[in-house]
Every structure is written in structure tokens, then in C-alpha cells.
Amino acid sequence: MIKIHLSKLLGERRMTQSELANKTNIRPATINEMYHELIERINLEHLNRICKVLDIEVEDLLEYIPDKK
């Protein structure tokens, strides 16, 4: 499974979803889906914009957690 740490990162920066949407020019609905980990596919350009605005690496935002067998 892939864990998306957007809610934690925004909380640490005291940034709202709306502010991130405005700064990245990504639809607020898309930011909300990422924030709540409901998104199934992530656009690479969106990843680029989020990493740039938050000044992070991709691995700060996404984490791979092996499935339990």
C-alpha cells in the first residue's frame, strides 16, 4: 500500500488544503482526495508542484508499506 503524508505535511506547515491548491494550481477536489488518501492515481506534474511548494522530496510525501500476507 502507498501512504500519502499530505495531511501531516500541511499540518506541520499550518497550511490549508485551499492554500496548497492555490499555490500549486491543482483543483481543490484533487488536493482533498490526496489529503484523505482516496486518490487512486497521482499525476506526476502534481507531485512535482506539491514537492516544490512544500520544499520536500517525493519520499517525504509518499511511503510504500508492504501488504501483510
Side-chain angles (χ1 to χ4, degrees):
M1 98 185 259
I2 303 296
K3 177 86 174 140
I4 303 172
H5 296 288
L6 186 59
S7 62
K8 181 185 90 161
L9 292 165
L10 290 181
E12 290 171 355
R13 288 160 178 75
R14 298 183 189 270
M15 181 183 289
T16 66
Q17 292 180 46
S18 179
E19 289 172 324
L20 181 62
N22 288 334
K23 290 181 179 187
T24 59
N25 200 28
I26 298 171
R27 291 181 330 111
T30 302
I31 296 292
N32 186 267
E33 287 178 350
M34 290 180 71
Y35 184 91
H36 292 287
E37 300 185 71
L38 301 173
I39 200 161
E40 293 183 11
R41 292 180 180 86
I42 299 178
N43 181 305
L44 293 178
E45 180 58 30
H46 291 175
L47 278 179
N48 183 59
R49 293 180 203 171
I50 291 169
C51 288
K52 183 176 180 180
V53 166
L54 298 180
D55 192 27
I56 59 171
E57 301 292 327
V58 172
E59 52 272 9
D60 297 327
L61 179 61
L62 302 175
E63 176 185 5
Y64 171 69
I65 301 172
D67 294 330
K68 295 180 182 178
K69 293 188 178 194

